[in-house]
Amino acid sequence: MTTSADTGGWVGRSAPRREDARFLAGRGRFVADLGDAATLHAVFVRSTQPAARLLGVDVSLARRQPGVVGAYTGADLAEDAGPLPTLHEPHPGFAAATQFRMADPALPCLAVDEVLYVGQPLAVVLAHSRHLAEDAAELVDVRYADRAAVTDATEALRDDSPVVHERLGDNEAGRIGFTLGDVDTARAGAHLEVTETYRMGRHGAVPLECRGVFATVDHRRERVEVWTSTQIPHLVRDTMCRVTGWATESVRVAAPDVGGGFGTKANVYPEEIIIPVLARRLARPVSWVEDRAEHFLAAAQGRDQVHHTRLAVDATGRILSWEDDFVVDIGAASLWTAGILANTAVHLLGPYRMRCVRVHGRAAFSNKTVVAQYRGAGRPEACFALERSLDHAARELGISQEQIRRRNLLTAADLPHRVDLPYRDGVPIELDGGDYLACFEACLDALPRAELTRLRAEHPELAVGYGVANYLEATGRGPYETGRARLGADGRFAVAAGSASAGQGHQTTLAQVAADALGVDPAAIAVVNGDTDAVADGIGTFASRSAVLAGNAVDQACRELVSRARQLAAQLLGAPEARLRDGVFEAAPGTSAPGDSADSTAGAAGTLSWAELAAALGPRGTLADAPPLDVTVRYRPLTVTWTMGSHAAVVGVDRETGLCRVLLYAVAHEGGTEINPMIVHGQIVGGVAQGIGGALLEEFRYSADGQPLSGSLADYLLPETTDLPPVRVVARHTPTGANPLGVRGAGESGTIAVYAAVAAAVQDAVGAHVTATPITPAQVWRAASREPALGRAG
Amino acid sequence: MTDVRIVVNGTPVEQSVEPRLSLADLLRDRLGLTGTHLGCEHGVCGACSVLLDGRSVRACLTLAVQAHGHRVTTVEGLAEHRTTRSLVAALSAAHGLQCGFCTAGFLVSATELLEESDGAELTDRDVRAALSGNLCRCTGYQGIIEAVRQAATDSAAGAQAADGATPAS
Amino acid sequence: MKPAPFEYLRADSVPAALAALAEHEDAKVLAGGQSLLTLMNLRLARPSVLVDIGGLAELDRVFSDADDVLIGALVRHRRVETDPELRALVPLAAAAAGHIGHVGIRNRGTLGGTLAHADPAAELPLVMVTLGATCYLESLHGGVRAVPAEQFFVSYYTSALRPDELLTWVRVPRVRAGQGWGFVELARRHGDFAMAGAAALVELDSLGEVRAVRAGLMSAGETPLLVSGPDGLVGETASARRWGELATEWTAELEFSEDPEYARALARVALRRALTEAEARAESTPEAA
C-alpha cells in the first residue's frame, strides 16, 4: 500500500466503494432499466448467412403486425447514417517504423447490398413491447444469394481466397512489422532453435450485461440524449456525429451503470447509431436491449490469432533471436485493427533482454463477427507465443521454466531499458520498471513449486503441474483524458472525467484522488463520469488507462482549482498569499496577518473554509464578480506507463478424462501508486478469472462454412465459482515518474499471462506440448495417453 | 390475458398479464423492481434469481402466471431477512462486487444458502458449490465467497448471542 | 429472447389436465418449466397451448412401501436431493439429482418434467433406467398405463408419452440391504450436462460376492442406456481390474458421432468409477447375516 507523501492519504487506501450501496440495494440504473410505458422497443433483424448478397429485405408484413410502429431496412436508413470509421490510427512515427498499413472496411450501420457475418444487422422493427417486436421481426423476409464464406484467417490471406470486402480486393485488414538487430546472424550462432505454431482461439469479453441503447429526444434542448452501455461515450458521440452529420451540441451520450465491458463495449456499434436515428425520426423514446443470443452473434469478439515462431538461444538459454509471423482474424470488420496489431507486435518483446527480433503480423478479414479489443487486446496472444517458446527451449535444453526466465529477465541493472522502436504513440519505447527478475522471484515465493507436494497429497487422483509466465504491459496510453473539478455553492465538489466505469469503481477512486488534492473527505466530492454533459470531450476506459489518465486529469484539475482558490482565499484573508492546509485556507506564513483589511468572510483566527469561499463566490458574496471555480484539464501523458508481472499456476489434470482444474494461482506485478489497493486487487483477480476461462473453457466456435456454433451460455462456457482457484496477489510497489500520481495501469494485468501459465502447468502435469487454447479435455486426454504434441490440429 | 395475484416483497399485487410474460419482466417492467437483472434469459447466469416461496428460482424461467398465488421476494425485499445486513456489509468489505450486475442474484442465492445452513460455518467449497449457478464476470468470485462465509460466521455468532452463549471470537 | 405467444390453461386437477391434453393436440405440459421455458425463450419450441400442472399438489407427494417409493411427477429435484426420506430410500436418485444444473434450477425442475423431456444427457432418466423404475402415464381416453423406464425413453427428446398423456407417478425400487450405488458424472463444469456419466447398482451377498449388477450410461446414445449384461460378475469377487474389464466390455459397442475414441474412453471411465463406488458402498451396507 502506498500513500502520497504530501497528501491527505486517501490515495493508497482501500476505501469502501460509493457504488456498492446502490447495487446491494438493487438500485443500479442499467440501460435496460431506463424508459417507461411510452418507450418503443427495437429488435434488429440479423443476417443468418455469413456471406451473401442481399437480394431483398421485405418489412411490409412486419409493419402491419399488431403493436408495430415502424420497420426499416438498410436502404430506408442509408441516408441517415454512413458507415462506421475506424476508431484508432497509430502515430505516423510508429506507422513508418513498422510499415503499418490498414484497410478501411467501412461497414454500413444496417446492411444494404450484402451481409458479411451471421448476426450483422440488416433491418430494425419498432413496437410497443419487445415481445411484439420479436414477433414482427420473424416476419421480415430476407432473401440471400449466398457466396463462399471466408472462415480461416490464414486461408483468407491467400491469393485464391474469396474476398470478404469486394471493393478492397483482398482480405488484408492490416499489416505491421519491425526488425531489431541482425536476426539472421544471431540465429546462425545459436546453440538451439525451436520453432512452433501457436494458436489462441476466438473468445471474448462476454460481460454479464449485454449491450443496450436508450435514446430520447429532448425538444427543449433540441438534442437527442443517448444512454448506451459503453466504455467510450465520447467516442460514440464523436462517431455518431460524424456518420450522421449531426452537430455535437445536438447529441448527448452517457453511460448508465454498465454491467461489465472488458473491451467489447469499448467499441462503436451500428445499434448505437440506428437507435438515436429512430428516436429522432419518430420523436419518441426508443430502447434496444440486446439479448444473449444476439450478443453471441453481434457483440465484438476477440483473440483468434495464430503465431509462427522461431526462438534461438545459446546453450544456457539466453535469447539470441526471436521471430514471430502472426495472423489475426478480425472478422468482417474491426474498428481496432491498429490497436490489436500494434499491441501484439510490440508486446512480443516481453520483459526480457532481446536484441534481435523480427516480427511480422497481418490482420485478415473473415466472415465472422466483428472484433474489438478484449482485455489484453493482443498482449495475451503475444505472451502465449513467447512464453511457450521459452518453455519449449527450456525443455530441449533440459533446464527448468524458471531457469530460462531467470536467464533472460531484465534486472534492475538493465532498467530503464530502451528499445529501438517507437510505441504506438510515436514515442521511443523505454521500459521503466524496478526489477523484473525480482518480480518473478516474488511470484515464485508467493506460490512456490514446493506447494505441489501438499497439493498432490490432497488430490491423489490428479496429475498436478506447475507453470509460470511473465508479461510486459503498456498501460495508460493517451492521447489524453479530461478531468474537471468544480466547487459547488455549499462548499462541496463536483468532479468529472472522460472515463466510463464498467465496474472499476471510478466514483470511488477519482473521489480519493480529488480528496487528497483538495484536502477534503471523499464524501464531500460527487464524481460523474461517462457523460458528454459532464466533460465536453474525452476518450474513455479501456487499455488499462483510467487510473493513469483520468486519475491524473482529475488530480491536475483539482490542483489547478486549488491554485486559483488560493488566490481568491488570499484576497478574502487580506493576505498576499494563502495556502491550503488540512482542507482549510490560511495566510501563508511570513505574510501580513489579517486585521488590517479584515474581511467579514474570513473565519476565526484567519482561516477560510471551502464553504466560506463558495459563499463568497456566490451572488451575495464579496467575490460575486469572480468567475466560478470550475477547472477542466486535459491530461496528456508523455507516453505509456509500462508495467510487468509474473504469474504462477498449479493445475490438476484428471489423466483419464483430460479435465483440468486450476488449483492455485499467484500474480506478482510491478504496480505503481495504487489509488485503492482493494480495487486493484479485484481487477487482478477478475482478470485471472477471465484468463482461466479463455485458457480452458471459452471459445466462439464456427462451422467450416461460417455458422456460429456458440449461441448461448450453454455452449460458451464461462467459469463458475467451482472453476476458479484462490488467487494470491503480490503488489510490488515500483514508483514511476511516468505520470504525476505515479500510477501504473492494472486492468489487464491479471489476464495477459494466464494462458501461458496454465498451458505450462498442464504440460508439466501430463508432459505434452500445449500449443493452442482453449485447452480442451479431449486434447489433454490424448496427450496424457500417448501423443507428445498437443494442439497441432488447432 | 390472465389475472395473477402475487405477494411481492410482502405486498399483494394484482396484474393482468399475457401468459408469456416472464416473472422477471413482470417484476421489472410492471412493478418497477429493476433490481432483478436479465443476463441471459435461458436460465444459466442466475442474475435474475428471486425467492419464490422462499426458494431461489430463475425469474426468466418462470412465467408470471406460474407465480399466481405465491410469494416472491426480490433483492429490493431482502432487507426483511435476518442475514441480509451482514451479507451486504460483508460483500462491500470483501469487494465482492464490481459492476453490480450479478449482485442481486448472488444476494438472493446467498440468502437462501445462509437460511438453509441455519448458522453453520460454511467452507470455501460449500459456498462455491451452492453458488455455482450464479455467474460473475468481474470479480473472479473470491470476494463473494469470502463475504458469504463471513456472513455465515456472523450469523452463527448472532445466533449464539441470541441463545445467551458467549460468541466465539 | 421472448417466447412466441401461446394459450395458457391452468389445470386445477389431474382430470382437468387430462381433458385439456385430450382437447388440444399441440399442447405441452408445463411443470417446472426449466427445460421447456428455456426452449420457448429461444423460440426453439413454440407450443400453441401450455397446460400448467404446477398447482396439482396431489402430484407433489411421495409414498413408500416395503419395496418401492412412489414419487409424484411434480416432486422437485431439490426435494429428491435433500429430503432425508428420499435420500435414505433412493440414494442413487438423490445423488444424481444434486448434479442437475444449479440450486435455482433444482428448486423448480420436476421429476416428471425431466423424464418427459427425455434428454439422454440428463441424470434422472439414467437413474430411473438403472433402478428399473416404472412410469405411470395417464390420459383421458386411455386410463393409466405402466411403462418400464427402459421402454419409456425412445430417442433424443422423445419419450413414450402420447400427445394426450401425462406422466403422473414413478415407482422406484428402494435401495436394499447389501446393495450399493454409484453415480459418476463427467462434465466440463459443475452442473453442466454430462459429457459422459454412469449410474451403477452392485449387490453383494453375505460372502461379499457379487449377486447382481445393474449399470447405465448418460450421453452414450439416443436414450439412457442400460449396459450391464445379466451375468456381469455374478458369483465372483469384485476387484478394480474386473470392474475395468467389465466397463471396457460394456462400452465396446457404443457409437458416437463426435470423437468416438475419446467419448468411449469417457464412458468407460465413468462406468468403471461408478461400479467401483457402488461396490464400496455395498461393502459398507452389508446384508443382514
Side-chain angles (χ1 to χ4, degrees), chain A residues 462-497:
Chain A
L462 301 177
V464 181
Y466 183 81
V468 297
N470 297 303
Y471 68 91
L472 178 69
E473 185 185 356
T475 72
R477 185 176 60 80
Y480 73 92
E481 192 52 89
T482 308
R484 179 179 178 188
R486 182 161 51 92
L487 174 64
D490 55 358
R492 298 163 64 82
F493 296 86
V495 159

Side-chain angles (χ1 to χ4, degrees), chain B residues 106-136:
Chain B
F106 270 103
L107 282 168
V108 167
S109 297
T111 296
E112 181 183 40
L113 170 63
L114 291 173
E115 297 207 332
E116 281 184 357
S117 53
D118 193 27
E121 296 278 342
L122 296 172
T123 65
D124 182 271
R125 196 166 156 174
D126 292 334
V127 176
R128 286 182 188 269
L131 298 183
S132 64
N134 288 81
L135 293 177
C136 172

Side-chain angles (χ1 to χ4, degrees), chain A residues 130-131 134-136 138 291-294 461 654-660 696-698 701 711-714 716-720 722-723 774-778 781-782 786, chain C residues 1-5 38 40-44 46 101-102 184-193 195-196 258-270 272-273:
Chain A
R130 174 83 188 196
H131 298 70
E134 284 192 21
D135 295 341
E138 289 188 314
D291 69 33
R292 190 56 71 178
E294 283 182 280
E461 74 285 6
D654 181 338
R655 287 178 166 282
E656 291 188 311
T657 64
L659 287 164
C660 298
L696 293 176
L697 292 171
E698 299 175 39
R701 293 183 308 119
S712 75
L713 291 177
Y716 187 96
L717 305 180
L718 293 179
E720 301 172 345
T722 41
D723 295 309
I775 304 165
T776 64
W781 172 78
R782 289 212 148 76
R786 53 192 170 286
Chain C
M1 273 161 45
K2 312 299 180 188
T38 300
M40 289 176 67
N41 283 354
L42 290 161
R43 297 202 178 203
L44 295 174
R46 313 166 71 106
H102 308 281
V184 170
E185 181 166 332
L186 301 173
R188 293 291 288 277
R189 300 173 308 169
H190 199 259
D192 280 348
F193 283 108
M195 298 190 303
E258 224 184 284
D259 201 349
E261 198 192 353
Y262 179 58
R264 185 168 306 109
L266 286 183
R268 193 169 57 234
V269 168
R272 192 201 77 231
R273 291 180 182 177

Side-chain angles (χ1 to χ4, degrees), chain A residues 200-207 262 296 301-304 374-375 686-701 710 712-713 715-720 723-724 751 754-755 772-777, chain B residues 135-137 141, chain C residues 188-189:
Chain A
M200 189 169 284
R202 183 176 268 242
H203 58 288
V206 190
F262 316 112
F296 277 111
Q301 304 179 345
R303 309 287 192 252
D304 206 347
Y374 166 49
R375 202 169 200 168
V688 168
Q690 286 190 303
I692 289 174
L696 293 176
L697 292 171
E698 299 175 39
E699 190 175 15
F700 292 117
R701 293 183 308 119
S710 311
S712 75
L713 291 177
D715 311 308
Y716 187 96
L717 305 180
L718 293 179
E720 301 172 345
D723 295 309
L724 294 174
T751 301
V754 179
Y755 306 83
T773 67
I775 304 165
T776 64
Chain B
L135 293 177
C136 172
R137 199 54 170 154
Y141 304 109
Chain C
R188 293 291 288 277
R189 300 173 308 169

